[in-house]
């Protein structure tokens, strides 16, 4: 076993990949060891212990070749022979090998070729290291020549059984090494089973002496013998003594320990309560017994009365009952009294033990009766005849080694060894001779008396000789044979099989391994398959009891459905180039590779028409069924096989132990032509040739149909569409004469050519059977012949072929057709064509083009088509979320992954080509516009590809549609990533998925723009709610999203466009939240201007030459420093220009002076919910603290802006979260802006150095910032300790949670200041200088526990009385808190604050980290907290992140509902439906930007220590 470790190098921004070259077949186990990430804490935590995952497996199939030509597993046609019937070597062997090869089999399975034991069974091996000298006198030399000639002369590989479970009962090496078996010495628990076996053998010898029949002929004979077994054997053996305790012995020992004070009080003897020692005295006798059994009973079942009570525990019970022993007291209980007390209890303990024995005794008698009945009486049993010493009444469970000079040196107890066998419905993972079972005592084992079961233990140290000896045997087999058939794999200890296969693969890496495995459980089959690397499990068609069951087996092993999808398609669309890391951490580009998705598949089969272990068709069904049964097997897309005698129609299963005759076959005696030679062999040759051809070329798609006695199977190549179609008329009991006819078969779009139709005719007369069975020298088959039929008719109608059975097509007949699809001979070219050229076709589109190609929700699509077209609606499924390729791919990827051919989309494609028409027409319509000229090449590409696949049969259209869509989607996706910044191009998949949200949300619409008279692309706040018209573009959303979606993706022009557009509408020192193209901007958000200034600052720092934007001239929608409102088409509009730097100064100066205005057009025309007081906007600076205050209790000027709107509850016009006063995030953003402009002024990049107050006082930016910095902690921090409140501006009575930062300062309702909300991390990210690092980390730790959900941050502390985490905008109740969704920001978990929280957590956690390992942990804490968002973006059909969730990540229907937005402007938040929101993705891209920046800082500090992220 080769063990290789691969160290994972943590990297926050990149995909972690491990490349492990696998160069041989077998089972490859893998697991990960790691230290569990500790719960986050601001304090130090102990380093967790090393943990490891469960072990997982990947099985790699061997590469087989015959004379240098590859043979895939599905092309295997195996032929099984019982080696001892092959005749003289080499003459008879060569004759049979030639016949097998002529029938186009390609692998021969040999039963063991080793020297056989006394029974002459091939599976009872005398010497595992010696080939049968009678057949192979030259030993290995003969075998070497045999396998060489098999391959060179006959095109055959060799496969042999390996028998690891047992050895022949007369194997000489057992005498030297009896420890290799199970004996009373090595397995003392078998003593009772050996006693019973000895007694039964003696009873068998004494039958005549006891006056019992010595031949059991009738049931009465059997019942007579069974009655005497009960009395003469079982009662005399007193086997119950193996189950029960010795009452006298244990009472004596326990009373002695009591008098000696040798007492052990078990843990279950409680000191007080109902189970205390003092209460035991009052227990009933059964409870006392149970009390003693719980901790005092030794339960090992080995010798008689091996079960016993621990004397010291018994003494403890006596102490509880009688008190401590006092030998000096006459009145105190003495030892005799104690002993008598205990005897009563011990007898009670024995009651269930006797019951246990009685239950096992019943099983023994039942098993003995059934086995004797089968052996002696049953019609279908062997009827063994007269009972004698050589032919005992029943098989012995033990082999007694002979007494000789070798065995005398061993302990006599080691010389009786358990024989191997099998048990009905046994647990394959249990050793039935092991200590945990009593199968041999209960006589449940159907034993093989010629085979001694081998005892390996759990590892080589348990039995060194045996492990080494069997490893030598296994390596010898691997030296000469291409493959193994593991005999009785289910009875082989799995650790043993793993070890021995490892040894074999050292000799032959490409070892084919199949197994005889019957666990009764598919999940348990998987355990063996995955751990052993089994190529296939042997399955048999003759196990079917009806045509329906045979159809099921063929379906199971036949292959995947026709028209199946390629699973690998799911991955390739979102694959991107990745980065590896050198040892020093420096990035190295990796080329893009095709990645195949490995998915658990059903256990692969070696599907046999019949095996040597089961009855042949003549016995089990009808001899004529030999042909249809074999033909159906040959058509399956898996390895197949047959057995010598099946093609020859042997009338009876061969007894591989007692049979002595040799094989004969017409195929061995002459030339086998494909057909027409008479009999079955010619047709079998044809079937094998076709099976091998289909396996080699990959015909892996099938369609199976069962109708009455008929089974049809159509197997085709997935690309060329060439195939073969079979009709089989089966012959099961009850249908020998045939009934019913097969309905006409319609093969759509397919032509068919009749290869042949044949009936198998077999002479099954008693004379013919007798002649075959009484042949003294050879194993002969029944006379048979094949007759060509003219019973099928082919009719080609339009674009389909109809196959009808019109003539005599009796049971035992087959018809075979070769099929093709016209033009599909070029299908390889078709697949190449439809999957090629996309990169070039999409290689010139820009990101706005891609917005149309990939996305566009219903309102956007209606907008761009003048209301004519929307998203596509799939019947029985519903509308797509996007009209573009992402809409289709969101549906298709699940269909492909699950091969869901029954999905409504697949049926819709089979019904017609409307989907193809829609996609092309949509692209063509838009490409006619000059702005979308870039769509013309993708449109042409799609049109040409769809035109090519329109000709394929409708049942194949879903597959080819998926190929085209996947290819186009992949090309479009990759083009989008290629147009973004290097951080995205080389980033991990999650970052790329987030980055594509910028494409999703940014596009051209007719109804929304950044300017009133010019249509330009603009950013939507979210889809589909904020998709078009006035509802699309919002100032706050844009500038919270901008750093991530535009700057973090390299979309610098789009960032600049949005900055300048919103700068153009500055008024009152504010930017509008609702832009409305600049026509009707609304100035009611106090925070938007500060997010805007932060975005400008970010632009200047991230974009090359970013500072130049400050000098950009901006045409002003309104007059500078003037509150006058006028329409957009007024002559004053856009008549003045300012630089962006001037506009920044205006915003700061207006706030410094103070704002006080009533919104323009105030009233229900702009907001039908707001009270009149709410339209008044007041903002001022408290110059003592430097903080900006604003708002009132009737408006909501920050992002938490839900207005109450329900008259029934009285909430109309009452904001859910007014957040007046000084919100913490505004303070942070203000400070960040001041520090920045101060720095710009110092660098001569900003001409202004300060502002003037309303009183005319000059305040520098530095002074203003310093005032904020000085006052911040005092104003906002809530200390962890009550005694520290005096250091801060705190009303201790209102504190609800400590160690946090206030959400507000001096709001209209003072208690709202102290609410824990997720806004303080925003300030931490933009202004970390304001925070004490230790306090900041403590506050983040509190929020991590209290607020963080799976994806979002709770908008209010769950401890708060106002916490309402379930948002339902349609609720029309009297609940003031929740009606009409007033609790929008009172508990529901919003996703965009998660980005700020994680950024702050990472930044402040890193400040305390000193070593590389500690810094890695910081990043890992963040990675762990991204898990929910990663899952969300993958599973969302919108390919984005939602606006919010309810409590603990529960879906919020009002956030993710995908119906088009239909609400009026005056009710903007009436029903927010945003399953994908711009800021939810953008703020997480911000996190990746910070991670890269912080990593670079640490790298520069650490020098050579790098790659820490």
């Amino acid at each position: 076993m080769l063990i290789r470790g691969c160290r994972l190098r943590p990297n926050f921004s990149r995909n972690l990949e491990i490349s492990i070259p696998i160069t041989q077949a077998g089972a490859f186990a893998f697991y990960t060891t790691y230290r569990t990430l500790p719960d986050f804490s601001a304090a130090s935590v102990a380093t967790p212990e090393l943990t490891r995952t469960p072990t997982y497996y990947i099985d790699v199939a061997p590469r087989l070749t015959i004379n240098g030509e590859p043979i895939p597993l599905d092309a295997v046609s195996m032929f099984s022979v019982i080696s001892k019937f092959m005749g003289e070597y080499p003459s008879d062997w060569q004759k049979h090998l030639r016949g097998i090869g002529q029938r186009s089999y390609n692998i021969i399975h040999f039963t063991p070729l080793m020297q056989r034991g006394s029974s002459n069974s091939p599976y009872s091996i005398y010497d595992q290291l010696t080939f049968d000298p009678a057949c192979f006198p030259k030993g290995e030399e003969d075998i070497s020549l045999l396998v060489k000639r098999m391959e060179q002369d006959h095109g055959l590989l060799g496969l042999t059984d390996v028998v690891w479970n047992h050895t022949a009962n007369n194997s000489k090496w057992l005498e030297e090494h009896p420890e290799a078996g199970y004996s009373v010495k090595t397995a003392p628990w078998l003593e009772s089973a050996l006693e019973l076996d000895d007694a039964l053998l003696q009873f068998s010898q004494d039958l005549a002496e006891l006056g019992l029949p010595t031949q059991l002929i009738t049931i009465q004979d059997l019942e007579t013998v069974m009655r005497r077994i009960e009395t003469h054997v079982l009662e005399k053996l007193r086997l119950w003594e193996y189950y029960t305790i010795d009452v006298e012995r244990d009472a004596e020992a326990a009373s002695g320990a009591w008098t000696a004070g040798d007492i052990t009080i078990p843990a279950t003897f409680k000191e007080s309560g109902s189970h205390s020692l003092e209460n035991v005295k009052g227990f009933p006798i059964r409870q006392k017994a149970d009390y003693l059994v719980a901790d005092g009973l030794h339960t090992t079942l080995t010798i008689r009365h091996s079960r016993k009570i621990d004397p010291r525990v018994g003494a403890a019970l006596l102490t509880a009952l009688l008190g401590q022993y006092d030998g000096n007291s006459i009145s105190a209980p003495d030892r005799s009294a104690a002993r008598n007390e205990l005897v009563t209890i011990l007898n009670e303990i024995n009651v269930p033990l006797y019951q246990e024995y009685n239950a096992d005794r019943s099983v023994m008698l039942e098993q003995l009766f059934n086995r004797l009945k089968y052996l002696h009486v049953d019609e279908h049993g062997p009827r063994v005849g007269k009972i004698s010493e050589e032919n005992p009444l029943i098989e012995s469970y033990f082999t007694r080694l002979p007494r000789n000079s070798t065995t005398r040196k061993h302990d006599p107890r080691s010389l009786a060894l358990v024989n191997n066998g099998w048990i009905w419905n046994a647990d394959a993972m249990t050793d039935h001779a092991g200590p945990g079972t009593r199968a041999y005592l209960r006589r449940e084992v159907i034993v093989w008396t010629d085979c001694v079961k081998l005892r390996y233990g759990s590892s080589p140290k348990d039995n060194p000789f045996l492990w080494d000896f069997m490893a030598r045997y296994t390596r010898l087999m691997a030296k000469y044979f291409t493959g193994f058939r593991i005999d009785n794999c289910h009875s082989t200890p799995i650790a043993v099989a793993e070890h021995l296969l490892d040894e074999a693969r050292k000799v032959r890496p490409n070892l084919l391994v199949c197994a005889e495995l019957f666990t009764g459980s598919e999940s348990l089959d998987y355990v063996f398959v995955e751990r052993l690397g089994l190529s296939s499990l042997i399955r048999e068609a003759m196990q079917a009891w009806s045509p329906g069951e045979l159809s099921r087996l063929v379906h199971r092993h036949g292959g995947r459905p026709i028209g199946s999808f390629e699973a690998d398609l799911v991955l390739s669309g979102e694959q991107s180039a990745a980065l590896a890391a050198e040892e020093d951490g420096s990035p190295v580009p990796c080329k893009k590779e095709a990645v195949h998705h490995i998915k658990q598949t059903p256990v692969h089969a070696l599907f046999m028409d019949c095996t040597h272990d089961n009855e042949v068709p003549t016995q089990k069904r009808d001899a004529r069924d030999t042909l249809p049964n074999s033909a159906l097997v040959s058509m399956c897309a898996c390895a197949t096989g047959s057995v010598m005698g099946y093609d020859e129609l042997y009338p009876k299963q061969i007894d591989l132990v007692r049979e002595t005759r040799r094989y004969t076959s017409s195929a061995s005696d002459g030339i086998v032509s494909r057909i027409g030679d008479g009999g079955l062999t010619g047709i079998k040759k044809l079937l094998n040739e076709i099976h091998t051809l289909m396996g080699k070329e990959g015909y892996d798609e099938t369609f199976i149909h069962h109708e009455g006695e008929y089974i049809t199977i159509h197997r085709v190549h997935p690309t060329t569409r060439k195939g073969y179609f079979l009709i089989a008329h089966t012959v099961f009991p009850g249908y020998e004469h045939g009934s019913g006819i097969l309905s006409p078969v319609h093969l759509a779009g397919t032509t068919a050519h009749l290869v042949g139709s044949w009936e198998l005719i077999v002479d099954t007369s008693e004379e013919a059977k007798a002649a075959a069975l009484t042949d003294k020298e050879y194993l002969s088959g029944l006379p048979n012949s094949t007759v060509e039929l003219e019973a099928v008719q082919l009719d080609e109608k339009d674009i389909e072929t109809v196959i009808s059975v019109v003539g005599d097509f009796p049971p035992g007949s087959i018809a075979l057709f070769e099929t093709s699809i016209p033009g599909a001979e070029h299908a390889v070219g078709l697949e190449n064509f439809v999957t090629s050229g996309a990169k070039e076709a999409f290689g010139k589109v820009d990101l706005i083009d891609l917005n149309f190609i990939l996305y566009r929700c219903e309102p956007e699509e209606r907008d761009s088509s003048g209301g004519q077209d929307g998203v596509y609606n799939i019947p029985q499924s519903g509308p797509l979320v996007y009209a573009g390729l992402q809409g289709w791919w969101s549906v298709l990827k699940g269909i492909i992954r699950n091969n869901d051919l029954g999905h409504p989309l697949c049926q819709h494609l089979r019904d017609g080509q409307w989907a193809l028409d829609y996609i092309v027409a949509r692209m063509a319509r838009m490409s006619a516009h000059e702005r979308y000229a870039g769509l013309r090449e993708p449109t042409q590409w799609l049109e040409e590809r769809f035109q090519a696949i329109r000709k394929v049969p409708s049942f194949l259209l879903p597959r080819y549609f998926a190929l085209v869509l996947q290819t186009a989607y992949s090309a479009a996706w990759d083009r989008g990533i290629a147009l973004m910044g290097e951080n995205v191009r080389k980033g991990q998949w999650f970052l790329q998925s987030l980055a594509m949200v910028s494409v999703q949300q940014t596009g051209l619409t007719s109804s929304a723009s950044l300017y009133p008279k010019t249509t330009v692309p603009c950013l939507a706040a979210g889809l589909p709610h904020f998709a078009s018209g006035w509802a699309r573009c919002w100032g706050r959303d844009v500038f919270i999203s901008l750093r991530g979606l535009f700057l973090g993706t390299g979309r610098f022009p789009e960032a600049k466009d949005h900055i300048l557009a919103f700068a153009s509408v500055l008024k009152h020192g504010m930017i509008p939240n609702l832009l409305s193209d600049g026509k009707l901007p609304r100035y009611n958000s106090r925070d938007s201007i500060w997010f805007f200034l932060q975005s400008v600052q970010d632009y200047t720092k991230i974009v090359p030459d970013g500072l130049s934007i400050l000098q950009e001239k901006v045409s002003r929608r309104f007059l500078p420093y003037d509150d006058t409102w006028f329409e957009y088409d007024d002559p004053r509009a856009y008549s003045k220009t300012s630089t962006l730097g001037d506009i920044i100064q205006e915003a700061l100066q207006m706030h410094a002076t103070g704002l006080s205005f009533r919104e323009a057009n105030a009233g229900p025309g702009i907001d039908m919910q707001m009270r009149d007081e709410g339209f008044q906007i007041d903002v001022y600076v408290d110059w003592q603290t430097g903080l900006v205050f604003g708002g009132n209790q009737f408006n909501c000027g920050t992002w938490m802006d839900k207005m109450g709107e329900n008259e029934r509850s009285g909430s109309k016009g009452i904001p859910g979260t007014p957040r007046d006063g000084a919100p913490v995030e505004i303070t942070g953003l203000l400070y960040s802006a001041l520090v920045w402009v101060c720095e710009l002024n110092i660098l001569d990049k900003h001409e202004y150095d300060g502002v003037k107050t309303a009183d005319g006082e000059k305040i520098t930016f530095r002074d203003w910032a310093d005032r904020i910095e000085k006052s911040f902690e005092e104003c906002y921090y809530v200390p962890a300790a009550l005694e520290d409140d005096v250091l801060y501006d705190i009303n201790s009575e209102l504190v609800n949670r400590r160690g946090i930062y206030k959400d507000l300062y001096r709001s209209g309702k003072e208690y709202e200041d102290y609410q824990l909300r997720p806004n303080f991390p925003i300030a931490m990210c933009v202004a970390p200088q304001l925070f004490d690092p230790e306090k900041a980390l403590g506050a983040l730790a509190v929020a991590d526990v209290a607020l963080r959900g799976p994806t979002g941050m709770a908008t209010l502390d769950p401890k708060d009385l106002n916490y309402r985490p379930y948002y339902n905008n349609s609720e029309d109740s009297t609940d003031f808190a929740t009606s009409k969704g007033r609790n929008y920001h009172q508990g529901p978990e919003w996703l965009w604050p998660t980005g700020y929280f994680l950024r702050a957590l990472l930044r402040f956690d890193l400040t305390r980290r000193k070593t590389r390992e500690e810094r890695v942990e910081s990043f890992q804490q963040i990675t762990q907290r991204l898990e929910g968002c990663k899952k969300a973006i993958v599973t969302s059909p919108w390919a984005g992140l939602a606006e919010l969730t309810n409590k603990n990540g529960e879906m919020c229907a009002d956030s993710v509902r995908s119906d088009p937005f239909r609400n009026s402007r005056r009710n903007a938040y009436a029903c927010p439906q945003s399953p994908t929101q711009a800021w939810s993705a953008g703020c997480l891209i911000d996190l990746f930007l910070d991670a890269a920046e912080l990593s670079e800082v640490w790298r520069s500090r650490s020098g050579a220590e790098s790659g820490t992220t």
Side-chain angles (χ1 to χ4, degrees), residues 858-871 918 925:
E858 174 77 11
E860 291 175 301
E861 194 69 8
R862 293 287 179 192
D863 183 281
S864 66
S865 64
Q868 296 301 306
D869 298 313
V871 297
Y918 171 87
R925 182 193 76 233

Side-chain angles (χ1 to χ4, degrees), residues 425-688:
N425 297 320
D427 180 356
M429 303 302 285
T430 299
D431 178 0
H432 295 289
T437 69
R438 296 197 286 272
Y440 279 85
L441 175 60
R442 288 154 57 99
R443 303 295 292 195
E444 293 172 308
V445 182
I446 300 172
V447 76
W448 302 314
T449 57
D450 59 345
C451 299
V452 167
K453 183 176 178 65
L454 296 177
R455 182 189 67 86
Y456 288 92
S458 58
S459 67
K461 67 182 180 185
D462 293 333
N463 207 326
F465 163 78
L466 182 61
W467 285 73
D468 177 68
F469 182 74
M470 298 306 282
R472 291 164 59 199
Y473 158 59
T474 302
R475 289 193 296 268
L476 178 63
M477 297 301 98
K479 180 179 178 181
Y480 295 108
F481 295 99
T482 299
F484 289 172
R485 172 190 180 271
I486 304 177
D487 181 60
N488 278 290
C489 185
H490 44 275
S491 298
T492 305
I494 200 163
V496 172
E498 283 181 313
H499 175 80
L500 295 177
L501 285 174
D502 283 343
E503 291 295 307
R505 287 174 174 132
K506 291 176 184 176
V507 177
R508 186 179 295 271
N510 273 306
L511 182 72
L512 174 66
V513 185
C514 58
E516 178 193 36
L517 182 68
F518 305 110
T519 68
S521 161
E522 185 167 323
S523 61
L524 196 52
D525 284 351
Y526 267 120
V527 173
F528 279 86
V529 169
E530 67 183 9
R531 288 184 59 176
L532 303 183
L534 301 180
S535 308
S536 53
L537 299 183
I538 294 169
R539 297 294 182 253
E540 184 178 357
M542 284 306 299
Q543 294 288 355
W545 56 83
S546 68
E549 175 62 11
L550 180 56
S551 172
R552 186 191 71 80
L553 291 176
V554 172
H555 187 276
R556 177 65 185 270
H557 309 306
R560 57 184 186 152
I562 287 179
S564 288
F565 300 98
E566 298 294 339
D568 297 335
L569 295 180
V570 175
L571 295 181
S572 57
E574 294 164 20
Q575 287 299 120
S576 298
L579 284 183
E582 297 282 15
E583 287 302 312
D584 64 356
S586 59
V588 177
C590 298
K591 67 178 182 179
K592 188 174 178 181
E593 297 179 346
V595 178
H596 297 280
H597 178 66
I598 296 178
K599 144 181 205 185
Q600 192 176 57
T601 61
V603 172
H604 292 195
L606 170 51
F607 194 30
M608 307 282 290
D609 49 26
C610 190
T611 68
H612 63 250
D613 289 322
N614 288 297
E615 294 178 329
V616 295
T618 305
Q619 295 171 282
K620 202 167 186 178
R621 299 179 193 164
D622 185 296
R624 294 172 295 167
D625 197 56
T626 303
L627 174 57
N629 184 68
S630 181
L632 287 166
V633 169
S634 296
M635 288 291 289
C636 289
C638 64
T640 61
S642 190
V643 63
M644 187 72 157
Y646 183 91
D647 294 355
E648 291 73 20
L649 275 86
Y650 287 1
K652 188 177 181 182
Q653 177 189 0
I654 300 172
D655 185 337
L656 60 80
V657 177
R658 299 179 180 84
E659 185 62 74
T660 59
R661 294 175 292 171
R662 291 178 292 168
Y663 285 138
T664 184
S665 172
S666 61
S668 303
D669 298 329
I671 302 299
V672 178
S673 61
R674 288 182 63 178
I675 53 175
D677 68 330
L680 185 61
T681 56
I683 297 176
K684 199 61 175 288
K685 174 184 176 69
L686 172 64
L687 292 172
N688 286 336

